[in-house]
Amino acid sequence: MNQVTVVICNYNYERYLAAAIDSALNQDYPGTQVVVLDDGSTDGSREIIEKYGSRITAIFQENGGQVAAYNHAISALETEYAILLDSDDILYPSAVSEVMQVFKSGSWAKVQFRLDVMDASGAATGAYVPNTEPPANCGELLQAGWLYPSPPASGNAYRVSALKQVFPIPAPGINRYGADFFAIYGAALVGPVATVRKSLGGYRVHNADGGTVSFANSEQISKAPKALGMRWAILRNIAKSRLEIELPATFHDFGHEKAIFCSSVYRATLVHRWRWMMHDSRGYLHAIVANPFWSVKKKFGTLFLSGLCLVPYSPLSDFVVRYISNPLARRRVAQR
């Protein structure tokens, strides 16, 4: 039986950590190992980890950020397959079994699966991510400059040999976070990606509020575009030096352009909204019209909604921005 490691990288998430570890230990796949790497937590995380004793492998390091934690964890992996579970997320009991069935069907570098969105207490919101399924040839799309739809970190299982062709990642002071970006897209440059068409885990959103433009737990929406651009430049260098693959200097991604759109238009004056749409929206509109993952219906729907941001009534414009940016806002509308 092929062995699988569930790696949990943790920093100051004592209130969620036990749920993540328990979900990894409760997998119905017998060949599951659990490694918990703590990145210098200052809360009670260490005590929680030590209570599990020999049921898990514990690694403690000084705080270096998520990239340093991934570098350390991946270098220590001895199994051929791994899931990198965030310490505030959970896996459902059959997650490892189901991804291993897919790995047996081909030479996949990565198998991804949907995650149900939970609020901070762990209650289901009714939403899930991602909402679009990519094709298997994600590497070709990356070479064309398109970031493919992927779940957050916890919704991905990897062939470890693929990860080790991409990692370690340079981890200077400005590149402490976003390690899952390099795993998600780097693996796709090594081999094909498969998708499980069901939710196999839960993704915790700490501010699970459909009344805001914020959805993911990463950087503030105004900072995300800059961080993503930096990560693309690093991935581009790694692809060229280690994999002999040329990636374009720029990339296309609706999530990236959506962050720019939201930070530019949300709660802005009518004049500013018109000015941005007329002069600065080229990348945003291209990410919709040329999107290789979307249906024609979805493209027209998103264009129509985006156009509503130009109406003089600010509450409608702000509602539309929330609706486009935050899946929980769409869920709230559906429940009415």
Side-chain angles (χ1 to χ4, degrees):
M1 172 179 288
N2 289 311
Q3 300 294 299
V4 182
T5 303
V6 178
V7 180
I8 303 171
C9 291
N10 174 70
Y11 176 68
N12 282 353
Y13 266 166
E14 64 172 330
R15 58 196 182 279
Y16 308 123
L17 181 56
I21 296 174
D22 290 342
S23 77
L25 289 172
N26 290 334
Q27 291 300 301
D28 62 14
Y29 186 79
T32 304
Q33 303 175 21
V34 180
V35 172
V36 182
L37 188 150
D38 187 79
D39 186 39
S41 292
T42 57
D43 61 1
S45 292
R46 187 177 188 117
E47 290 76 12
I48 292 172
I49 294 168
E50 290 176 340
K51 287 180 181 178
Y52 285 89
S54 61
R55 299 175 67 196
I56 65 173
T57 298
I59 301 174
F60 298 96
Q61 68 174 34
E62 293 184 5
N63 180 251
Q66 190 190 40
V67 171
Y70 266 51
N71 285 342
H72 190 169
I74 291 170
S75 69
L77 284 172
E78 297 180 351
T79 58
E80 181 54 20
Y81 302 95
I83 294 176
L84 300 171
L85 176 66
D86 283 346
S87 59
D88 56 340
D89 296 338
I90 61 169
L91 295 175
Y92 297 159
S94 66
V96 174
S97 293
E98 299 208 34
V99 298
M100 288 308 297
Q101 283 295 115
V102 179
F103 272 122
K104 290 177 183 178
S105 69
S107 56
W108 307 106
K110 188 186 89 159
V111 175
Q112 65 179 52
F113 48 89
R114 289 188 337 202
L115 296 172
D116 290 326
V117 177
M118 311 180 299
D119 64 17
S121 69
T125 65
Y128 60 82
V129 287
N131 291 284
T132 304
E133 180 181 327
N137 63 335
C138 294
E140 294 178 15
L141 291 165
L142 285 168
Q143 291 179 62
W146 284 96
L147 298 185
Y148 66 88
S150 172
S154 303
N156 300 277
Y158 300 94
R159 189 180 296 272
V160 172
S161 56
L163 286 177
K164 290 190 175 183
Q165 290 186 60
V166 178
F167 284 79
I169 303 299
I174 61 172
N175 189 38
R176 288 171 55 88
Y177 307 105
D180 53 326
F181 176 92
F182 304 105
I184 288 168
Y185 299 112
L189 294 173
V190 178
V193 173
T195 300
V196 177
R197 298 178 179 88
K198 63 186 292 189
S199 295
L200 297 180
Y203 171 56
R204 195 183 305 269
V205 176
H206 301 281
N207 297 310
D209 181 3
T212 70
V213 295
S214 176
F215 175 64
N217 297 322
S218 56
E219 298 89 355
Q220 296 178 358
I221 198 163
S222 59
K223 296 181 179 180
K226 182 179 179 180
L228 200 58
M230 178 191 69
R231 289 166 196 155
W232 176 259
I234 294 172
L235 179 63
R236 187 167 176 252
N237 289 332
I238 290 171
K240 183 175 182 178
S241 62
R242 300 181 193 172
L243 305 176
E244 298 183 348
I245 293 175
E246 288 284 349
L247 296 179
T250 58
F251 64 92
H252 310 291
D253 174 59
F254 180 70
H256 170 74
E257 296 295 342
K258 180 175 67 176
I260 298 173
F261 165 73
C262 293
S263 61
S264 301
V265 174
Y266 190 59
R267 293 180 176 172
T269 64
L270 178 63
V271 171
H272 183 85
R273 283 181 269 142
W274 271 89
R275 183 182 297 120
W276 188 86
M277 290 294 286
M278 293 299 103
H279 300 288
D280 302 313
S281 63
R282 182 176 179 180
Y284 176 73
L285 296 176
H286 180 78
I288 298 172
V289 174
N291 197 305
F293 314 107
W294 287 9
S295 66
V296 173
K297 180 181 178 181
K298 185 171 183 177
K299 292 178 182 181
F300 274 108
T302 307
L303 287 172
F304 173 75
L305 287 171
S306 301
L308 293 178
C309 293
L310 300 176
V311 301
Y313 186 55
S314 295
L316 175 60
S317 173
D318 292 341
F319 169 78
V320 167
V321 174
R322 292 193 298 270
Y323 189 90
I324 291 173
S325 67
N326 190 339
L328 299 179
R330 300 193 284 275
R331 178 67 180 174
R332 288 177 68 181
V333 170
Q335 290 175 335
R336 289 177 182 173

